[in-house]
mmCIF file of all heavy atoms in Angstrom:
data_model
loop_
_atom_site.group_PDB
_atom_site.id
_atom_site.type_symbol
_atom_site.label_atom_id
_atom_site.label_comp_id
_atom_site.label_asym_id
_atom_site.label_seq_id
_atom_site.Cartn_x
_atom_site.Cartn_y
_atom_site.Cartn_z
ATOM 1 N N LYS E 17 0.499 -20.353 6.474
ATOM 2 C CA LYS E 17 -0.288 -20.248 7.704
ATOM 3 C C LYS E 17 -1.283 -19.083 7.615
ATOM 4 O O LYS E 17 -2.436 -19.204 8.070
ATOM 5 C CB LYS E 17 0.673 -20.045 8.887
ATOM 6 C CG LYS E 17 0.026 -19.932 10.253
ATOM 7 C CD LYS E 17 -0.313 -21.296 10.819
ATOM 8 C CE LYS E 17 -1.118 -21.179 12.119
ATOM 9 N NZ LYS E 17 -1.983 -22.338 12.332
ATOM 10 N N ILE E 21 -5.374 -19.267 8.118
ATOM 11 C CA ILE E 21 -6.125 -18.463 9.097
ATOM 12 C C ILE E 21 -7.229 -17.671 8.395
ATOM 13 O O ILE E 21 -8.355 -17.580 8.886
ATOM 14 C CB ILE E 21 -5.166 -17.513 9.869
ATOM 15 C CG1 ILE E 21 -4.189 -18.329 10.718
ATOM 16 C CG2 ILE E 21 -5.953 -16.528 10.738
ATOM 17 C CD1 ILE E 21 -3.068 -17.500 11.365
ATOM 18 N N ALA E 42 -8.292 -16.870 -5.241
ATOM 19 C CA ALA E 42 -6.902 -16.435 -5.023
ATOM 20 C C ALA E 42 -6.818 -14.919 -4.880
ATOM 21 O O ALA E 42 -6.090 -14.397 -4.026
ATOM 22 C CB ALA E 42 -6.028 -16.917 -6.178
ATOM 23 N N TYR E 56 -13.371 -7.098 1.589
ATOM 24 C CA TYR E 56 -13.130 -7.479 0.195
ATOM 25 C C TYR E 56 -13.837 -8.774 -0.200
ATOM 26 O O TYR E 56 -13.927 -9.092 -1.383
ATOM 27 C CB TYR E 56 -11.630 -7.526 -0.095
ATOM 28 C CG TYR E 56 -11.014 -6.137 -0.020
ATOM 29 C CD1 TYR E 56 -10.104 -5.794 0.972
ATOM 30 C CD2 TYR E 56 -11.392 -5.148 -0.923
ATOM 31 C CE1 TYR E 56 -9.585 -4.507 1.069
ATOM 32 C CE2 TYR E 56 -10.876 -3.857 -0.838
ATOM 33 C CZ TYR E 56 -9.974 -3.548 0.153
ATOM 34 O OH TYR E 56 -9.471 -2.265 0.240
ATOM 35 N N ALA E 87 2.220 1.137 -6.500
ATOM 36 C CA ALA E 87 1.570 -0.061 -7.057
ATOM 37 C C ALA E 87 2.576 -0.858 -7.881
ATOM 38 O O ALA E 87 2.691 -2.079 -7.742
ATOM 39 C CB ALA E 87 0.366 0.331 -7.903
ATOM 40 N N SER E 89 5.736 -0.847 -7.595
ATOM 41 C CA SER E 89 6.752 -1.392 -6.695
ATOM 42 C C SER E 89 6.276 -2.683 -6.029
ATOM 43 O O SER E 89 7.071 -3.568 -5.721
ATOM 44 C CB SER E 89 7.091 -0.319 -5.664
ATOM 45 O OG SER E 89 7.525 -0.865 -4.477
ATOM 46 N N GLY E 90 4.963 -2.815 -5.819
ATOM 47 C CA GLY E 90 4.438 -4.005 -5.139
ATOM 48 C C GLY E 90 4.204 -5.202 -6.038
ATOM 49 O O GLY E 90 4.022 -6.320 -5.554
ATOM 50 N N LYS E 93 7.861 -8.261 -10.168
ATOM 51 C CA LYS E 93 8.495 -7.992 -11.468
ATOM 52 C C LYS E 93 9.290 -9.191 -11.988
ATOM 53 O O LYS E 93 9.459 -9.326 -13.190
ATOM 54 C CB LYS E 93 9.410 -6.775 -11.367
ATOM 55 C CG LYS E 93 8.776 -5.499 -11.913
ATOM 56 C CD LYS E 93 7.997 -4.723 -10.911
ATOM 57 C CE LYS E 93 8.881 -4.178 -9.832
ATOM 58 N NZ LYS E 93 8.097 -3.690 -8.683
ATOM 59 N N ASP E 97 8.911 -10.287 -15.723
ATOM 60 C CA ASP E 97 10.073 -10.396 -16.607
ATOM 61 C C ASP E 97 10.119 -11.774 -17.264
ATOM 62 O O ASP E 97 10.416 -11.903 -18.449
ATOM 63 C CB ASP E 97 11.369 -10.156 -15.811
ATOM 64 C CG ASP E 97 11.532 -8.698 -15.410
ATOM 65 O OD1 ASP E 97 10.902 -7.827 -16.028
ATOM 66 O OD2 ASP E 97 12.298 -8.426 -14.454
ATOM 67 N N SER E 108 5.493 10.315 -12.903
ATOM 68 C CA SER E 108 6.578 11.289 -12.712
ATOM 69 C C SER E 108 7.382 11.515 -13.984
ATOM 70 O O SER E 108 8.449 12.135 -13.954
ATOM 71 C CB SER E 108 7.519 10.825 -11.589
ATOM 72 O OG SER E 108 6.789 10.583 -10.420
ATOM 73 N N ALA E 116 0.118 17.173 -18.882
ATOM 74 C CA ALA E 116 -0.794 17.617 -17.817
ATOM 75 C C ALA E 116 -0.900 19.141 -17.802
ATOM 76 O O ALA E 116 -1.991 19.710 -17.731
ATOM 77 C CB ALA E 116 -0.303 17.093 -16.464
ATOM 78 N N LEU E 161 -8.806 4.775 -27.090
ATOM 79 C CA LEU E 161 -8.058 3.824 -26.263
ATOM 80 C C LEU E 161 -8.730 2.461 -26.300
ATOM 81 O O LEU E 161 -9.954 2.354 -26.221
ATOM 82 C CB LEU E 161 -8.002 4.334 -24.808
ATOM 83 C CG LEU E 161 -7.414 3.375 -23.763
ATOM 84 C CD1 LEU E 161 -5.923 3.147 -24.004
ATOM 85 C CD2 LEU E 161 -7.639 3.913 -22.345
ATOM 86 N N VAL E 171 -8.562 4.173 -3.841
ATOM 87 C CA VAL E 171 -9.054 4.414 -2.486
ATOM 88 C C VAL E 171 -9.365 5.897 -2.355
ATOM 89 O O VAL E 171 -8.710 6.711 -2.990
ATOM 90 C CB VAL E 171 -7.986 4.010 -1.448
ATOM 91 C CG1 VAL E 171 -6.698 4.795 -1.610
ATOM 92 C CG2 VAL E 171 -8.499 4.163 -0.024
ATOM 93 N N GLY E 175 -14.399 11.024 -5.429
ATOM 94 C CA GLY E 175 -14.389 10.408 -6.763
ATOM 95 C C GLY E 175 -14.044 8.927 -6.791
ATOM 96 O O GLY E 175 -14.263 8.272 -7.804
ATOM 97 N N LYS E 197 -12.903 2.004 -0.245
ATOM 98 C CA LYS E 197 -11.635 1.308 0.023
ATOM 99 C C LYS E 197 -10.947 0.815 -1.241
ATOM 100 O O LYS E 197 -11.585 0.587 -2.268
ATOM 101 C CB LYS E 197 -11.881 0.153 0.981
ATOM 102 C CG LYS E 197 -12.138 0.609 2.411
ATOM 103 C CD LYS E 197 -12.296 -0.578 3.336
ATOM 104 C CE LYS E 197 -12.562 -0.132 4.771
ATOM 105 N NZ LYS E 197 -12.867 -1.298 5.630
ATOM 106 N N ALA E 203 -4.084 -3.009 -5.376
ATOM 107 C CA ALA E 203 -3.907 -3.129 -6.828
ATOM 108 C C ALA E 203 -2.782 -4.115 -7.146
ATOM 109 O O ALA E 203 -2.936 -5.019 -7.988
ATOM 110 C CB ALA E 203 -3.610 -1.749 -7.425
ATOM 111 N N ALA E 204 -1.666 -3.957 -6.449
ATOM 112 C CA ALA E 204 -0.530 -4.858 -6.669
ATOM 113 C C ALA E 204 -0.882 -6.287 -6.262
ATOM 114 O O ALA E 204 -0.542 -7.253 -6.962
ATOM 115 C CB ALA E 204 0.684 -4.355 -5.880
#
Side-chain angles (χ1 to χ4, degrees):
Chain E
K17 181 81 187 152
I21 295 172
Y56 293 113
S89 152
K93 260 89 66 193
D97 288 340
S108 305
L161 172 67
V171 60
K197 287 183 180 174

